[in-house]
Amino acid sequence: RRSNIKPANTLQVDYRSMAHTARSKDEKREHFDSPEELDRKVAMLADWVKHSKHMIAFTGAGISTSAGIPDFRSGMDTCLDTGPGVWELRAKKKERDAKKHSVTDKMKAVPTPTHMMLVKLCQEGILKCLVSQNCDGLHRKSGIPTTALLELHGNTNIEMCMKCKKKYLRDYSLKNIRPRSHLTGAVCDDTKCGGKLRKNIVNFGESLPEAILDSGYEHAEKADLCLAMGSSLTVTPAAEIPENAGSSGRLVVVNLQTTPLDDIAKLRIFAKCDDVSTLLMKKLGLTIPPFKLRRKLILSATPTSKSKVCNTTSVLAEGADMEGHPFSFMKEVMSMFQGALNNCNGTWLTSQFACAASIISML
Protein backbone atom coordinates (compact mmCIF):
# COMPACT_ATOMS: atom_id res chain seq x y z
CA ARG A 1 0.00 0.00 0.00
CA ARG A 2 1.52 3.29 -1.07
CA SER A 3 1.02 6.64 0.60
CA ASN A 4 -0.99 9.18 -1.36
CA ILE A 5 1.56 11.89 -0.76
CA LYS A 6 4.81 10.07 -1.46
CA PRO A 7 5.60 8.91 -5.03
CA ALA A 8 6.54 5.25 -5.06
CA ASN A 9 9.38 5.44 -7.55
CA THR A 10 11.37 8.44 -6.34
CA LEU A 11 13.30 9.37 -3.24
CA GLN A 12 12.30 12.54 -1.46
CA VAL A 13 15.78 13.68 -0.46
CA ASP A 14 18.32 14.70 -3.07
CA TYR A 15 21.86 13.38 -2.67
CA ARG A 16 23.42 16.84 -2.96
CA SER A 17 21.30 18.22 -0.13
CA MET A 18 21.82 15.36 2.31
CA ALA A 19 24.66 17.12 4.10
CA HIS A 20 22.30 19.99 4.86
CA THR A 21 19.67 17.77 6.48
CA ALA A 22 21.59 17.48 9.73
CA ARG A 23 19.31 16.36 12.52
CA SER A 24 18.60 18.35 15.66
CA LYS A 25 20.45 17.70 18.90
CA ASP A 26 17.49 15.77 20.31
CA GLU A 27 17.18 13.68 17.14
CA LYS A 28 20.86 12.75 17.28
CA ARG A 29 20.79 11.86 20.97
CA GLU A 30 21.40 8.14 21.58
CA HIS A 31 19.19 6.30 24.05
CA PHE A 32 19.83 3.04 25.88
CA ASP A 33 17.40 0.70 27.60
CA SER A 34 18.49 -0.62 30.98
CA PRO A 35 19.57 -4.29 31.04
CA GLU A 36 16.30 -5.21 32.75
CA GLU A 37 14.20 -3.26 30.26
CA LEU A 38 16.11 -4.68 27.32
CA ASP A 39 15.59 -8.22 28.56
CA ARG A 40 11.86 -7.62 29.00
CA LYS A 41 11.47 -6.10 25.54
CA VAL A 42 13.46 -8.79 23.75
CA ALA A 43 11.48 -11.49 25.56
CA MET A 44 8.32 -9.90 24.17
CA LEU A 45 9.88 -9.73 20.70
CA ALA A 46 10.89 -13.40 20.90
CA ASP A 47 7.30 -14.37 21.69
CA TRP A 48 6.05 -12.40 18.69
CA VAL A 49 8.67 -13.99 16.44
CA LYS A 50 7.67 -17.49 17.56
CA HIS A 51 4.01 -16.86 16.76
CA SER A 52 4.47 -14.84 13.56
CA LYS A 53 3.06 -16.14 10.30
CA HIS A 54 4.70 -13.66 7.95
CA MET A 55 7.68 -11.88 9.52
CA ILE A 56 9.71 -9.38 7.51
CA ALA A 57 12.80 -7.36 8.40
CA PHE A 58 13.85 -3.89 7.33
CA THR A 59 17.51 -2.93 7.74
CA GLY A 60 19.55 0.25 7.51
CA ALA A 61 23.17 1.33 7.86
CA GLY A 62 23.10 0.81 11.62
CA ILE A 63 23.40 -2.96 11.32
CA SER A 64 26.78 -2.62 9.53
CA THR A 65 28.55 -0.24 11.91
CA SER A 66 29.93 -3.14 13.97
CA ALA A 67 31.46 -4.42 10.72
CA GLY A 68 33.39 -1.15 10.49
CA ILE A 69 31.16 0.64 7.97
CA PRO A 70 30.02 4.12 9.15
CA ASP A 71 26.34 5.04 9.07
CA PHE A 72 24.91 8.33 7.84
CA ARG A 73 23.27 10.16 10.73
CA SER A 74 25.09 9.39 13.99
CA GLY A 75 26.15 12.53 15.85
CA MET A 76 29.63 13.79 16.64
CA ASP A 77 29.43 12.31 20.16
CA THR A 78 28.18 8.86 19.09
CA CYS A 79 29.15 5.78 21.07
CA LEU A 80 29.82 3.85 17.85
CA ASP A 81 33.41 2.85 17.08
CA THR A 82 32.95 4.04 13.49
CA GLY A 83 32.35 7.58 14.69
CA PRO A 84 29.96 10.23 13.31
CA GLY A 85 27.74 9.54 10.34
CA VAL A 86 28.73 10.48 6.81
CA TRP A 87 26.15 13.27 6.54
CA GLU A 88 26.97 14.58 10.02
CA LEU A 89 30.64 14.98 9.11
CA ARG A 90 29.75 16.61 5.83
CA ALA A 91 27.37 19.03 7.54
CA LYS A 92 30.08 19.94 10.06
CA LYS A 93 32.70 20.14 7.28
CA LYS A 94 34.96 17.77 9.20
CA GLU A 95 36.99 14.67 8.39
CA ARG A 96 36.82 11.35 10.20
CA ASP A 97 39.51 10.89 12.85
CA ALA A 98 41.31 7.76 11.67
CA LYS A 99 43.14 7.41 15.00
CA LYS A 100 39.97 7.63 17.06
CA HIS A 101 37.49 5.79 14.88
CA SER A 102 37.70 2.27 13.45
CA VAL A 103 36.60 1.95 9.83
CA THR A 104 36.88 -1.07 7.54
CA ASP A 105 36.98 -1.12 3.76
CA LYS A 106 33.63 -2.39 2.48
CA MET A 107 35.28 -5.13 0.45
CA LYS A 108 37.02 -6.46 3.58
CA ALA A 109 34.05 -6.11 5.92
CA VAL A 110 32.31 -9.28 7.07
CA PRO A 111 28.66 -9.78 8.06
CA THR A 112 27.79 -8.97 11.67
CA PRO A 113 25.88 -11.10 14.19
CA THR A 114 22.76 -9.22 13.10
CA HIS A 115 23.31 -10.19 9.47
CA MET A 116 23.82 -13.81 10.46
CA MET A 117 20.81 -13.80 12.79
CA LEU A 118 18.64 -12.85 9.82
CA VAL A 119 20.20 -15.69 7.81
CA LYS A 120 19.28 -18.17 10.54
CA LEU A 121 15.70 -16.87 10.84
CA CYS A 122 15.37 -17.28 7.09
CA GLN A 123 16.78 -20.82 7.23
CA GLU A 124 14.26 -21.67 9.93
CA GLY A 125 11.40 -20.47 7.73
CA ILE A 126 10.53 -17.66 10.16
CA LEU A 127 11.73 -14.66 8.17
CA LYS A 128 9.86 -14.41 4.88
CA CYS A 129 11.48 -11.31 3.40
CA LEU A 130 14.41 -9.03 4.16
CA VAL A 131 14.16 -5.48 2.82
CA SER A 132 17.36 -3.47 3.05
CA GLN A 133 18.38 0.10 2.35
CA ASN A 134 22.04 -0.95 2.45
CA CYS A 135 24.19 -1.31 -0.64
CA ASP A 136 27.33 -2.53 1.18
CA GLY A 137 26.80 -6.10 -0.03
CA LEU A 138 26.95 -7.71 3.42
CA HIS A 139 23.51 -9.29 3.16
CA ARG A 140 24.49 -11.06 -0.07
CA LYS A 141 27.84 -12.00 1.43
CA SER A 142 26.11 -13.43 4.52
CA GLY A 143 24.49 -16.11 2.39
CA ILE A 144 20.85 -15.13 2.73
CA PRO A 145 18.87 -16.42 -0.29
CA THR A 146 18.41 -13.83 -3.01
CA THR A 147 14.79 -14.95 -3.27
CA ALA A 148 14.23 -13.55 0.23
CA LEU A 149 16.29 -10.36 -0.19
CA LEU A 150 15.17 -7.00 -1.56
CA GLU A 151 18.07 -4.55 -1.89
CA LEU A 152 16.29 -1.24 -2.46
CA HIS A 153 19.45 0.72 -3.19
CA GLY A 154 21.26 -2.04 -5.04
CA ASN A 155 24.66 -3.52 -4.27
CA THR A 156 28.07 -1.90 -4.72
CA ASN A 157 29.61 -5.33 -5.41
CA ILE A 158 27.47 -6.02 -8.46
CA GLU A 159 27.92 -4.98 -12.09
CA MET A 160 24.96 -5.31 -14.43
CA CYS A 161 25.04 -5.47 -18.21
CA MET A 162 22.89 -2.74 -19.71
CA LYS A 163 22.24 -4.91 -22.76
CA CYS A 164 21.49 -8.47 -21.56
CA LYS A 165 20.82 -7.49 -17.90
CA LYS A 166 23.12 -10.22 -16.58
CA LYS A 167 24.60 -9.45 -13.16
CA TYR A 168 28.13 -10.16 -11.96
CA LEU A 169 29.30 -10.24 -8.33
CA ARG A 170 32.78 -8.77 -7.91
CA ASP A 171 35.36 -9.13 -5.17
CA TYR A 172 36.94 -5.76 -5.93
CA SER A 173 35.79 -2.17 -5.66
CA LEU A 174 33.91 -0.90 -8.68
CA LYS A 175 34.78 2.54 -10.00
CA ASN A 176 32.72 4.95 -12.07
CA ILE A 177 34.25 6.23 -15.29
CA ARG A 178 33.05 9.72 -14.28
CA PRO A 179 31.23 11.29 -11.30
CA ARG A 180 27.51 10.49 -10.99
CA SER A 181 27.80 7.91 -13.77
CA HIS A 182 27.13 4.28 -13.00
CA LEU A 183 29.18 3.00 -15.95
CA THR A 184 32.36 1.20 -14.86
CA GLY A 185 34.11 1.10 -18.21
CA ALA A 186 33.93 -2.71 -18.33
CA VAL A 187 31.95 -4.82 -20.79
CA CYS A 188 29.83 -7.94 -20.37
CA ASP A 189 31.75 -11.16 -19.73
CA ASP A 190 29.63 -12.78 -22.43
CA THR A 191 31.63 -12.21 -25.63
CA LYS A 192 28.46 -12.63 -27.68
CA CYS A 193 26.90 -9.68 -25.87
CA GLY A 194 29.61 -7.11 -25.22
CA GLY A 195 27.23 -4.72 -23.50
CA LYS A 196 28.42 -1.96 -21.17
CA LEU A 197 28.49 -2.74 -17.44
CA ARG A 198 27.19 -0.43 -14.74
CA LYS A 199 27.27 -0.45 -10.94
CA ASN A 200 24.03 -1.88 -9.67
CA ILE A 201 23.27 0.83 -7.12
CA VAL A 202 20.70 3.57 -6.64
CA ASN A 203 22.03 6.89 -5.35
CA PHE A 204 20.00 9.34 -3.30
CA GLY A 205 17.78 11.32 -5.63
CA GLU A 206 17.46 8.49 -8.16
CA SER A 207 14.44 6.29 -8.80
CA LEU A 208 14.10 3.02 -6.95
CA PRO A 209 13.45 -0.12 -9.00
CA GLU A 210 9.67 -0.44 -9.28
CA ALA A 211 9.61 -4.25 -9.14
CA ILE A 212 11.69 -4.41 -5.95
CA LEU A 213 9.73 -1.62 -4.30
CA ASP A 214 6.39 -3.18 -5.21
CA SER A 215 7.53 -6.52 -3.80
CA GLY A 216 8.42 -4.76 -0.56
CA TYR A 217 4.94 -3.25 -0.37
CA GLU A 218 3.35 -6.63 -0.99
CA HIS A 219 5.29 -8.24 1.84
CA ALA A 220 4.42 -5.31 4.11
CA GLU A 221 0.74 -5.95 3.43
CA LYS A 222 1.12 -9.60 4.44
CA ALA A 223 3.37 -8.97 7.44
CA ASP A 224 2.11 -9.57 10.96
CA LEU A 225 5.55 -8.64 12.29
CA CYS A 226 8.14 -6.22 10.91
CA LEU A 227 11.53 -5.90 12.61
CA ALA A 228 13.20 -2.62 11.62
CA MET A 229 16.86 -2.45 12.65
CA GLY A 230 19.53 0.21 12.31
CA SER A 231 17.49 2.66 10.22
CA SER A 232 16.53 6.26 10.88
CA LEU A 233 13.33 5.49 8.92
CA THR A 234 13.41 8.97 7.39
CA VAL A 235 14.09 8.30 3.70
CA THR A 236 11.01 7.67 1.59
CA PRO A 237 9.60 5.77 -0.17
CA ALA A 238 11.71 3.07 1.52
CA ALA A 239 10.42 3.96 4.99
CA GLU A 240 6.85 3.43 3.79
CA ILE A 241 7.45 -0.33 3.86
CA PRO A 242 7.80 -0.61 7.67
CA GLU A 243 5.19 2.12 8.06
CA ASN A 244 2.67 0.12 6.05
CA ALA A 245 3.57 -3.06 7.91
CA GLY A 246 3.01 -1.27 11.20
CA SER A 247 -0.45 -0.12 10.21
CA SER A 248 -1.75 -3.68 9.95
CA GLY A 249 0.75 -5.70 12.01
CA ARG A 250 3.36 -5.27 14.71
CA LEU A 251 6.25 -2.93 13.99
CA VAL A 252 9.34 -3.29 16.18
CA VAL A 253 12.02 -0.59 15.84
CA VAL A 254 15.59 -1.16 17.03
CA ASN A 255 17.69 1.98 16.84
CA LEU A 256 19.70 4.15 19.22
CA GLN A 257 18.13 7.37 17.93
CA THR A 258 14.44 8.16 17.77
CA THR A 259 12.62 7.72 14.45
CA PRO A 260 9.48 9.18 12.83
CA LEU A 261 7.78 5.77 13.17
CA ASP A 262 8.26 5.41 16.93
CA ASP A 263 4.67 6.43 17.58
CA ILE A 264 3.21 3.56 15.53
CA ALA A 265 5.73 0.97 16.72
CA LYS A 266 4.26 -1.71 18.98
CA LEU A 267 7.70 -2.12 20.56
CA ARG A 268 10.58 0.35 20.67
CA ILE A 269 14.03 -0.97 21.61
CA PHE A 270 16.95 1.37 22.31
CA ALA A 271 20.07 -0.79 22.04
CA LYS A 272 22.77 -1.80 19.60
CA CYS A 273 21.56 -4.17 16.90
CA ASP A 274 24.05 -6.94 17.69
CA ASP A 275 23.09 -6.88 21.38
CA VAL A 276 19.44 -7.29 20.48
CA SER A 277 20.18 -10.00 17.91
CA THR A 278 22.30 -12.04 20.31
CA LEU A 279 19.74 -11.85 23.11
CA LEU A 280 16.83 -12.58 20.77
CA MET A 281 18.41 -15.74 19.41
CA LYS A 282 19.19 -16.91 22.93
CA LYS A 283 15.54 -16.54 23.90
CA LEU A 284 14.47 -18.32 20.72
CA GLY A 285 16.81 -21.20 21.49
CA LEU A 286 18.64 -20.70 18.21
CA THR A 287 22.34 -20.27 17.47
CA ILE A 288 23.69 -17.47 15.31
CA PRO A 289 25.71 -19.27 12.61
CA PRO A 290 29.33 -18.17 12.14
CA PHE A 291 30.05 -16.39 8.89
CA LYS A 292 31.77 -18.51 6.27
CA LEU A 293 32.43 -17.22 2.78
CA ARG A 294 31.25 -19.87 0.32
CA ARG A 295 31.86 -19.76 -3.42
CA LYS A 296 31.68 -22.26 -6.28
CA LEU A 297 34.31 -23.12 -8.86
CA ILE A 298 32.61 -24.30 -12.05
CA LEU A 299 34.66 -26.14 -14.68
CA SER A 300 33.25 -27.01 -18.08
CA ALA A 301 34.91 -28.62 -21.09
CA THR A 302 33.96 -28.05 -24.73
CA PRO A 303 35.51 -29.92 -27.71
CA THR A 304 37.02 -27.35 -30.07
CA SER A 305 38.50 -29.53 -32.82
CA LYS A 306 38.87 -33.18 -33.80
CA SER A 307 41.33 -34.80 -36.14
CA LYS A 308 43.14 -38.09 -36.75
CA VAL A 309 46.19 -36.62 -35.05
CA CYS A 310 44.74 -34.94 -32.01
CA ASN A 311 41.53 -33.85 -30.32
CA THR A 312 41.51 -30.50 -28.57
CA THR A 313 39.12 -29.29 -25.88
CA SER A 314 38.80 -25.91 -24.22
CA VAL A 315 38.26 -25.77 -20.47
CA LEU A 316 36.30 -22.87 -19.00
CA ALA A 317 36.76 -21.96 -15.34
CA GLU A 318 34.09 -19.77 -13.79
CA GLY A 319 33.48 -18.46 -10.28
CA ALA A 320 29.99 -18.30 -8.80
CA ASP A 321 28.21 -17.80 -5.51
CA MET A 322 26.35 -20.71 -3.94
CA GLU A 323 23.25 -19.95 -6.01
CA GLY A 324 25.21 -20.06 -9.26
CA HIS A 325 25.35 -16.32 -9.88
CA PRO A 326 28.61 -15.28 -11.63
CA PHE A 327 31.22 -14.14 -9.13
CA SER A 328 34.76 -13.06 -9.94
CA PHE A 329 37.36 -14.26 -7.46
CA MET A 330 40.16 -15.46 -9.78
CA LYS A 331 42.84 -13.20 -11.18
CA GLU A 332 44.20 -15.72 -13.67
CA VAL A 333 44.10 -19.38 -14.65
CA MET A 334 47.25 -21.36 -15.44
CA SER A 335 47.65 -24.96 -16.57
CA MET A 336 50.16 -26.97 -14.56
CA PHE A 337 50.50 -29.67 -17.23
CA GLN A 338 51.12 -27.77 -20.43
CA GLY A 339 53.24 -30.57 -21.86
CA ALA A 340 50.38 -33.01 -21.45
CA LEU A 341 48.26 -30.95 -23.79
CA ASN A 342 50.04 -32.58 -26.74
CA ASN A 343 48.72 -36.00 -25.79
CA CYS A 344 45.47 -36.79 -27.51
CA ASN A 345 43.68 -39.37 -25.41
CA GLY A 346 41.70 -37.88 -22.52
CA THR A 347 44.03 -34.89 -22.34
CA TRP A 348 41.22 -32.44 -21.63
CA LEU A 349 40.40 -34.29 -18.41
CA THR A 350 44.00 -34.04 -17.21
CA SER A 351 44.15 -30.34 -18.00
CA GLN A 352 40.79 -29.84 -16.31
CA PHE A 353 42.13 -31.18 -13.03
CA ALA A 354 45.32 -29.18 -13.48
CA CYS A 355 43.28 -26.07 -14.06
CA ALA A 356 41.31 -26.71 -10.88
CA ALA A 357 44.49 -27.20 -8.84
CA SER A 358 46.00 -24.01 -10.16
CA ILE A 359 42.88 -21.94 -9.47
CA ILE A 360 42.33 -23.26 -5.98
CA SER A 361 45.90 -22.35 -5.06
CA MET A 362 45.10 -18.74 -5.82
CA LEU A 363 41.96 -18.36 -3.67
Side-chain angles (χ1 to χ4, degrees), residues 199-348:
K199 289 174 68 174
N200 190 45
I201 61 169
V202 179
N203 288 325
F204 288 107
E206 297 178 343
S207 298
L208 292 178
E210 282 286 343
I212 293 178
L213 192 60
D214 286 342
S215 182
Y217 283 124
E218 291 173 4
H219 278 283
E221 289 290 332
K222 299 176 183 177
D224 55 1
L225 176 61
C226 176
L227 177 59
M229 305 186 75
S231 173
S232 64
L233 301 176
T234 56
V235 179
T236 58
E240 290 181 347
I241 293 175
E243 181 181 11
N244 290 347
S247 66
S248 57
R250 289 167 170 160
L251 172 63
V252 179
V253 178
V254 180
N255 202 55
L256 293 178
Q257 299 175 344
T258 58
T259 80
L261 300 187
D262 286 359
D263 290 340
I264 69 169
K266 296 298 189 295
L267 184 60
R268 186 60 177 87
I269 301 177
F270 292 100
K272 291 183 177 180
C273 293
D274 286 349
D275 292 341
V276 173
S277 299
T278 302
L279 185 57
L280 174 60
M281 294 297 275
K282 181 179 180 181
K283 292 185 178 298
L284 289 173
L286 298 173
T287 301
I288 296 178
F291 167 67
K292 293 181 180 180
L293 183 63
R294 293 181 172 90
R295 296 291 182 249
K296 286 183 178 180
L297 175 63
I298 302 174
L299 295 173
S300 57
T302 305
T304 54
S305 66
K306 187 175 182 179
S307 68
K308 295 181 179 180
V309 178
C310 185
N311 299 334
T312 60
T313 302
S314 64
V315 177
L316 177 64
E318 297 177 288
D321 66 6
M322 297 309 290
E323 294 184 8
H325 301 292
F327 183 84
S328 60
F329 59 85
M330 298 172 288
K331 292 183 178 180
E332 60 180 336
V333 177
M334 298 179 293
S335 172
M336 296 174 62
F337 297 97
Q338 294 179 357
L341 295 179
N342 293 323
N343 298 328
C344 302
N345 297 322
T347 301
W348 72 268

Side-chain angles (χ1 to χ4, degrees), residues 64-71 81-82 102-106 109-110 112 138:
S64 296
T65 53
S66 63
I69 301 175
D71 63 14
D81 293 337
T82 47
S102 177
V103 177
T104 303
D105 182 275
K106 288 183 180 180
V110 297
T112 68
L138 290 184

